[in-house]
Amino acid sequence: MQLMNSMKSFNEKELLKHLSHNNKEAFDEIYNRYYPKLRSYVLKFVKIPQYAEDIVQDAFLKVWEIRESIDPEKYFSGYLFTITKNLILKFFKLAANNTDVLDEIVINTTPQKFAEENIIEWKELGNEIQKAIQMLPPKRKEVFLLCKEEQMSYDDVSAKLGISRNTIKEHMVMAMKFIKDYLKSRSLYLSQIAFFFLFLR
């Protein structure tokens, strides 16, 4: 208990150094500091507390699993939220293939009287997004799928394909613009969930 109390006075870099040496008390302190705002962040997108809690716990589990590779000198908050964003993306990808979960999400994010209509619209939107992706030029499609389907970073995709990070970013910007324009031409709109699934990275 005394060691745990002493951790409260440590700054973030000190905590991360202790964490890299498998210090459970340091992990608990990081958890306590970040849990409230991380949960609040997830709930903005995943309106169902049960699912939001699962994502938050998975994010902290990931931090513990990679504790030895975390650089205390780098921006940990941004790193943690990037992990969390990827987990939310993964959640929505799985939800898109699970009718029960998808229906529950839509019902909890829209007024009840519009829920059934929005479920249908979301499924239609998903189908049109897939059509737009298939229409991308081959290299741009490959980059997009690696970034969004495989959740690879721009740096990792750059290394895999042997092209610059700036080129990767340009491909992504052009791909997302094409998809948005395609949906607009089809008189479709991006819901909050769809916008997050496609463009938040």
Side-chain angles (χ1 to χ4, degrees):
M1 181 63 68
Q2 183 176 359
L3 180 58
M4 182 62 185
N5 289 335
S6 69
M7 288 289 173
K8 294 182 182 297
S9 64
F10 285 5
N11 62 39
E12 188 172 277
K13 288 183 180 180
E14 292 171 329
L15 286 172
L16 292 172
K17 288 178 181 177
H18 282 283
L19 176 63
S20 68
H21 290 92
N22 305 322
N23 189 304
K24 183 63 166 58
E25 288 76 17
F27 173 80
D28 290 341
E29 180 60 25
I30 290 171
Y31 180 96
N32 291 334
R33 290 186 188 185
Y34 278 100
Y35 174 84
K37 52 187 175 183
L38 201 63
R39 187 175 187 275
S40 177
Y41 173 77
V42 175
L43 279 170
K44 288 194 298 184
F45 301 99
V46 181
K47 303 295 185 179
I48 306 168
Q50 173 189 344
Y51 295 138
E53 183 67 25
D54 288 343
I55 290 171
V56 172
Q57 296 304 321
D58 285 345
F60 282 111
L61 177 61
K62 182 67 174 178
V63 168
W64 178 255
E65 289 175 345
I66 62 175
R67 59 192 179 279
E68 295 179 3
S69 63
I70 295 176
D71 186 349
E73 300 300 322
K74 293 186 177 180
Y75 186 48
F76 176 72
S77 177
Y79 188 61
L80 176 60
F81 276 84
T82 296
I83 290 173
T84 306
K85 283 191 291 184
N86 287 336
L87 288 170
I88 297 174
L89 286 169
K90 181 178 179 181
F91 170 77
F92 280 124
K93 284 175 61 179
L94 293 174
N97 296 313
N98 186 319
T99 301
D100 291 337
V101 175
L102 180 59
D103 290 355
E104 190 176 357
I105 292 170
V106 176
I107 289 170
N108 280 275
T109 55
T110 59
Q112 184 66 35
K113 65 179 181 178
F114 297 123
E116 183 175 350
E117 177 183 348
N118 282 335
I119 290 169
I120 296 172
E121 289 180 353
W122 164 247
K123 291 176 180 177
E124 179 186 0
L125 187 62
N127 289 334
E128 292 298 330
I129 288 172
Q130 290 304 314
K131 289 180 183 178
I133 292 172
Q134 296 305 315
M135 294 169 64
L136 293 170
K139 182 59 68 175
R140 189 160 298 160
K141 175 184 173 183
E142 182 180 19
V143 169
F144 184 87
L145 291 176
L146 287 173
C147 289
K148 293 304 179 183
E149 296 290 331
E150 302 298 327
Q151 298 182 23
M152 293 176 63
S153 69
Y154 289 175
D155 289 334
D156 288 342
V157 176
S158 173
K160 179 181 178 66
L161 301 182
I163 52 181
S164 71
R165 189 183 190 281
N166 285 340
T167 301
I168 298 297
K169 183 177 180 180
E170 181 180 350
H171 274 304
M172 289 300 295
V173 170
M174 296 302 293
M176 291 187 289
K177 182 180 185 304
F178 175 81
I179 294 170
K180 289 170 69 176
D181 289 345
Y182 173 83
L183 294 176
K184 186 177 180 180
S185 74
R186 304 284 292 176
S187 299
L188 295 169
Y189 67 93
L190 288 177
S191 67
Q192 179 187 29
I193 295 174
F195 181 87
F196 185 87
F197 178 80
L198 267 178
F199 303 118
L200 183 57
R201 188 175 180 82

